[in-house]
Amino acid sequence: MDNQRRKFLGTMGALTAGAMLAGNHFAFAADKSPIKVGVLHSLSGTMAISESALKDVALMTFDQINASGGVMGRMIEPVVVDPASNWPLFAEKARQLLTKDKVAVVFGCWTSVSRKSVLPVFEELNGLLFYPVQYEGEELSQNVFYTGAAPNQQAIPAVEYLMSKDGGGAKRFFLLGTDYVYPRTTNKILRAFLKSKGVKEADIAEVYTPFGHSDYQTIVANIKKFAGGGKTTVISTINGDSNVPFYKELGNQGLKATDVPVMAFSVAEQELAGMDTKPLVGHLAAWNYFESVKSPVNTAFVKMWKDYVKKKGLKDFPVTDDPMEATYVGIHMWKQAVEKAHSDAVDKVRIAMAGQTFKAPSGFTLEMDKTNHHLHKPVMIGEIRADGQFNVVWKTPKTIRAQPWSPYIAGNEGKQKL
């Protein structure tokens, strides 16, 4: 084949590809029907204290996008369901959203057990889930985008901080969590990490309570006793409304942050808003965003949420938190990916999500990793204030790439480049 003919065929191929792309663009834009999206969060039961606000911040974000012209001229039509903190019901509701409601994408879940429940449904039906909460890792699905933190973006840096001079130089660690996959796997990772740092088995305690547990009197007494053996910290992976009686019991027994600091991975501004926070001043939480972060994007985000709560007369507290920001970021990245793909089809959006960036309320520009479906995120340590907000006492100077497969779990050695 001569060079002139080769050049002609190459030009025709490029023109054909361009025409197909333009055709996709016009076909999607010409369709004025709404794009259905699912919202899968517990609005009742033990997890409602955390998940209700995620439903509402999603609805706020959809309203924001629709007011700006929608997604390439098409409005977003949310379909909201309540799996009621019932893990098998999560799977049923996910199937309903994908097969009956025929949504293009689902934003939802908080606990890892709920995510594990719906995962086979999304993989079977080739649905797309945006999951906005920190989790234990050890998972990578082409049907999920993880906008919360992996362990190396929350748990490991938090414990490193506690062991540092600035963090108090902890020598003993009381691992307290709700009894399900996220706390148990996270603590498995933390045990291995602590042992790699020379912490002895006798200096690590591990206790679990069921969802909805309310009597922490004995556990807090045992924490005080354990703390008698040296500088101690509590690593809390308690989830849901059990956090309220736990922190209340800390206050009842006079266990202050100056005595035994608690580092929480699932307590944010929404949970604190329902508590008397004065006895909790100085206790800590590790996240990737706090409402108190100073940035122009965050100022606008917080104002938008407060205005929305007031306008809608919501029961949510007018505070923002990390999973709310992760929800907000995920929705906007999905919109950008749809616009890039000129389609809301799952397979096309999945490809278009790789490398998406978004200027987030955290003050950082977040990037969706090109290969592992996780966000590159900053890490922040916050100290509880009397007003229920957090002072950021430590943060990374830049975003951190997620490690879905922890190097502290045997067998993950060959997965570190994923």
Side-chain angles (χ1 to χ4, degrees):
M1 184 184 293
D2 59 43
N3 288 337
Q4 188 174 7
R5 178 172 171 76
R6 186 179 292 111
K7 183 177 180 181
F8 171 78
L9 290 175
T11 302
M12 289 304 294
L15 288 171
T16 301
M20 289 177 65
L21 186 62
N24 289 340
H25 171 84
F26 290 124
F28 185 85
D31 184 354
K32 296 302 180 184
S33 63
I35 304 175
K36 286 188 175 183
V37 302
V39 179
L40 182 65
H41 283 301
S42 294
L43 311 180
S44 56
T46 188
M47 291 307 302
I49 186 175
S50 298
E51 293 193 64
S52 294
L54 300 193
K55 179 264 292 184
D56 288 322
V57 81
L59 296 181
M60 177 194 77
T61 309
F62 301 147
D63 284 355
Q64 179 196 28
I65 292 170
N66 285 342
S68 299
V71 183
M72 293 179 66
R74 295 177 63 184
M75 296 295 104
I76 296 174
E77 180 182 312
V79 181
V80 178
V81 294
D82 177 16
S85 307
N86 180 317
W87 318 134
L89 190 57
F90 265 88
E92 292 180 30
K93 294 294 186 181
R95 187 173 293 277
Q96 171 195 318
L97 287 170
L98 294 175
T99 60
K100 181 181 176 182
D101 300 305
K102 299 189 182 304
V103 300
V105 63
V106 176
F107 300 93
C109 299
W110 179 294
T111 68
S112 287
V113 68
S114 67
R115 189 192 69 257
K116 294 285 189 185
S117 177
V118 305
L119 185 59
V121 177
F122 280 90
E123 292 184 335
E124 173 198 341
L125 300 173
N126 195 31
L128 194 59
L129 172 69
F130 278 72
Y131 177 64
V133 184
Q134 86 291 345
Y135 84 121
E136 70 283 356
E138 308 310 301
E139 180 181 297
L140 192 59
S141 171
Q142 68 169 356
N143 296 93
V144 182
F145 283 98
Y146 307 80
T147 59
N152 72 303
Q153 296 171 313
Q154 184 194 39
I156 296 295
V159 174
E160 287 178 323
Y161 173 78
L162 290 168
M163 297 177 79
S164 71
K165 182 179 179 180
D166 288 345
K171 304 295 184 185
R172 311 197 83 202
F173 302 85
F174 198 102
L175 311 180
L176 175 62
T178 303
D179 192 4
Y180 74 106
V181 61
Y182 163 62
R184 284 192 174 274
T185 306
T186 297
N187 287 336
K188 179 180 179 180
I189 292 168
L190 290 180
R191 268 187 177 273
F193 170 75
L194 289 169
K195 288 180 180 179
S196 76
K197 297 297 183 181
V199 178
K200 297 177 181 178
E201 184 70 30
D203 291 322
I204 306 172
E206 195 169 343
V207 175
Y208 296 95
T209 58
F211 278 102
H213 189 71
S214 60
D215 184 2
Y216 284 91
Q217 187 172 350
T218 301
I219 289 174
V220 172
N222 288 339
I223 291 171
K224 293 175 75 174
K225 183 178 179 180
F226 183 78
K231 184 65 177 177
T232 295
T233 188
V234 175
I235 308 296
S236 173
T237 47
I238 296 173
N239 271 255
D241 54 12
S242 291
N243 278 296
V244 177
F246 169 61
Y247 279 97
K248 185 176 181 181
E249 189 59 37
L250 290 178
N252 289 344
Q253 296 197 32
L255 198 60
K256 299 178 181 179
T258 50
D259 304 319
V260 179
V262 174
M263 174 70 78
F265 296 161
S266 292
V267 172
E269 290 87 344
Q270 279 287 332
E271 288 79 15
L272 290 180
M275 304 182 200
D276 176 11
T277 53
K278 291 182 179 61
L280 310 181
V281 169
H283 287 300
L284 303 162
W287 291 102
N288 315 103
Y289 163 86
F290 290 104
E291 185 184 296
S292 59
V293 166
K294 297 188 185 309
S295 79
V297 178
N298 191 41
T299 298
F301 176 60
V302 171
K303 182 180 186 305
M304 180 166 55
W305 173 248
K306 292 182 186 299
D307 290 347
Y308 187 81
V309 169
K310 184 177 180 180
K311 177 183 176 182
K312 298 290 185 179
L314 300 178
K315 293 181 180 179
D316 300 313
F317 296 106
V319 294
T320 58
D321 64 19
D322 180 288
M324 292 170 68
E325 190 226 24
T327 297
Y328 180 75
V329 170
I331 292 170
H332 276 284
M333 280 195 171
W334 169 80
K335 171 186 179 289
Q336 292 173 184
V338 171
E339 291 172 342
K340 180 180 179 181
H342 305 295
S343 172
D344 60 1
V346 168
D347 291 336
K348 294 180 179 179
V349 171
R350 180 189 296 118
I351 294 169
M353 276 294 298
Q356 285 290 339
T357 61
F358 187 75
K359 196 169 184 180
S362 65
F364 291 77
T365 296
L366 307 186
E367 178 186 358
M368 180 58 66
D369 194 79
K370 292 180 175 63
T371 60
N372 71 19
H373 281 214
H374 288 67
L375 281 180
H376 295 208
K377 305 186 70 134
V379 186
M380 303 180 187
I381 307 292
E383 193 174 77
I384 297 175
R385 304 189 321 213
D387 63 356
Q389 289 290 320
F390 290 87
N391 283 328
V392 178
V393 295
W394 179 89
K395 68 178 180 180
T396 54
K398 60 182 182 179
T399 59
I400 305 298
R401 184 177 188 259
Q403 291 178 308
W405 307 97
S406 174
Y408 297 101
I409 288 186
N412 285 349
E413 293 81 7
K415 301 177 180 179
Q416 293 312 302
K417 293 184 179 180
L418 292 178

